Amino acid sequence: MQFIEANGARIPAIGLGTWELRGRSCARIVEQAIKLGYRHIDTAQVYENEREVGEGLRASGVRRDELFIATKIWTTHFAPHDLERSAKESLVRLRLSEVDLLLLHWPNPHVPLVETLGALAHAKTLGLARHVGVSNFTVALLDEAVALSPAPLVCNQIEYHPYLDQTKVRKACARHGIAVVAYSPIARGKIKSDATLARIGQVHGKTPAQICLRWLVQQDAVVIPRTSRVERLSENIGVFDFALSDDEMAEVFRMGGADGRMTNYAFAPKWD
Ligand SMILES: NC(=O)c1ccc[n+]([C@@H]2O[C@H](COP(=O)([O-])OP(=O)(O)OC[C@H]3O[C@@H](n4cnc5c(N)ncnc54)[C@H](OP(=O)(O)O)[C@@H]3O)[C@@H](O)[C@H]2O)c1
């Protein structure tokens, strides 16, 4: 496993995404992932699976200090006291004393950012989280957040895959020493039938998903692909034994556009 270092955090470059994984199958896939070498698990309050993620962690038998667990505070808990209370509730569900990374899931313009960031930093001071960060922050919001946050922000978790050009926000993250955590990194499964990725994959004896994930980690992005299938766990982590050439990297970069989003954000807040 490789690690990405950002503002004091050491983040395993591949994590297991858990959105839409529920119940016993969620606990089982988390357990299997860790047994296969995953060390980073990404959950969120709004996924309603923190309890099962915690079960999977414990069932894996791997020591807590070898694991990197991230969860996200939902936008309805951004007022300072709500944030602290809901972070503690997440820890109760996960049955952990702290998470490694606590994120603001989406920006919420109805609560002053300075207050939410103060509360997030306070959660860190209380020992509820080792590191803090944000998700779905635009360049302007990220600049504002970095200026306002009493605690260093270690990542911005954003949708990022070959169909979506994220150059601007990636540059902003680099400027602040903040890691990009790429969500929906295999475009919600769409890349499996991509002709360009398949052709590059033939050269390396790799699948389109592996080419896609390699392209991301080779840019020093953290990736959190989600699968419900045990056989795909190994596939998605098998990206450290080969490298893409500069030409191959450039070819995949050319696939990206500004309107390549995959997610319809059914649960995302609508602000206007
Ligand atoms: N911060 C945010 O707002 C936000 C938003 C969205 C997602 N996320 C996080 O990012 C994680 C990943 O994103 P995502 O779940 O949207 O999408 P994703 O990881 O890009 O894609 C998941 C889909 O791809 C399929 N898949 C997995 N491995 C594959 C492979 N090797 N070949 C072909 N298909 C494969 C899965 O199906 P099978 O289950 O059948 O394998 C599933 O349908 C989430 O689970 C969540 O933790 C965060």
Side-chain angles (χ1 to χ4, degrees):
M1 180 56 66
Q2 291 181 5
F3 294 84
I4 299 298
E5 301 202 359
N7 287 338
R10 197 163 174 267
I11 311 175
I14 297 193
L16 177 71
T18 65
W19 181 23
E20 292 175 336
L21 300 178
R22 294 282 173 86
R24 277 187 58 79
S25 58
C26 174
R28 238 196 54 235
I29 204 88
V30 168
E31 174 189 352
Q32 291 297 324
I34 296 170
K35 284 181 171 165
L36 284 167
Y38 285 68
R39 289 295 177 264
H40 172 179
I41 308 292
D42 179 82
T43 181
Q45 294 173 343
V46 78
Y47 302 167
E48 297 182 349
N49 62 10
E50 289 173 312
R51 211 173 292 281
E52 291 77 12
V53 167
E55 280 169 27
L57 305 180
R58 286 185 297 283
S60 75
V62 169
R63 274 178 26 191
R64 172 67 185 97
D65 61 4
E66 289 181 30
L67 300 172
F68 189 96
I69 310 304
T71 196
K72 313 182 197 80
I73 306 272
W74 190 237
T75 55
T76 46
H77 308 310
F78 278 11
H81 282 97
D82 291 341
L83 191 147
E84 182 180 327
R85 178 190 41 76
S86 82
K88 287 178 175 164
E89 286 169 0
S90 281
L91 293 176
V92 167
R93 286 189 292 269
L94 285 158
R95 285 180 54 193
L96 296 176
S97 58
E98 63 174 6
V99 286
D100 299 277
L101 182 57
L102 187 63
L103 302 181
L104 303 180
H105 203 143
W106 282 81
N108 179 350
H110 301 303
V111 183
L113 188 55
V114 66
E115 288 182 15
T116 307
L117 289 167
L120 192 67
H122 185 58
K124 185 180 171 197
T125 308
L126 292 175
L128 309 181
R130 289 176 57 227
H131 304 287
V132 295
V134 296
S135 179
N136 296 298
F137 271 41
T138 60
V139 173
L141 270 174
L142 192 65
D143 288 346
E144 196 184 337
V146 168
L148 293 174
S149 179
L153 300 173
V154 305
C155 81
N156 187 14
Q157 187 179 124
I158 52 169
E159 179 175 349
Y160 187 31
H161 46 70
Y163 303 126
L164 183 60
D165 181 358
Q166 288 284 30
T167 307
K168 286 183 188 157
V169 71
R170 282 176 46 232
K171 281 190 177 156
C173 288
R175 191 157 35 82
H176 294 302
I178 286 176
V180 169
V181 176
Y183 76 67
S184 305
I186 47 177
R188 310 216 72 207
K190 193 180 167 201
I191 48 74
K192 72 170 178 283
S193 47
D194 187 277
T196 304
L197 298 175
R199 178 171 42 72
I200 298 173
Q202 276 177 359
V203 176
H204 296 279
K206 295 285 178 181
T207 65
Q210 290 171 318
I211 299 302
C212 175
L213 293 169
R214 176 71 210 182
W215 176 76
L216 288 163
V217 300
Q218 210 164 307
Q219 302 167 47
D220 288 339
V222 175
V223 295
I224 47 171
R226 183 243 320 174
T227 183
S228 54
R229 303 193 204 180
V230 174
E231 66 274 17
R232 283 180 167 166
L233 288 172
S234 317
E235 178 184 343
N236 292 349
I237 209 171
V239 302
F240 297 116
D241 57 352
F242 75 109
L244 298 174
S245 68
D246 291 348
D247 284 351
E248 289 168 333
M249 289 293 289
E251 190 175 3
V252 181
F253 269 113
R254 283 195 294 275
M255 291 164 53
D259 54 357
R261 290 189 189 279
M262 290 297 132
T263 315
N264 66 11
Y265 305 121
F267 60 69
K270 307 265 186 293
W271 304 123
D272 41 31

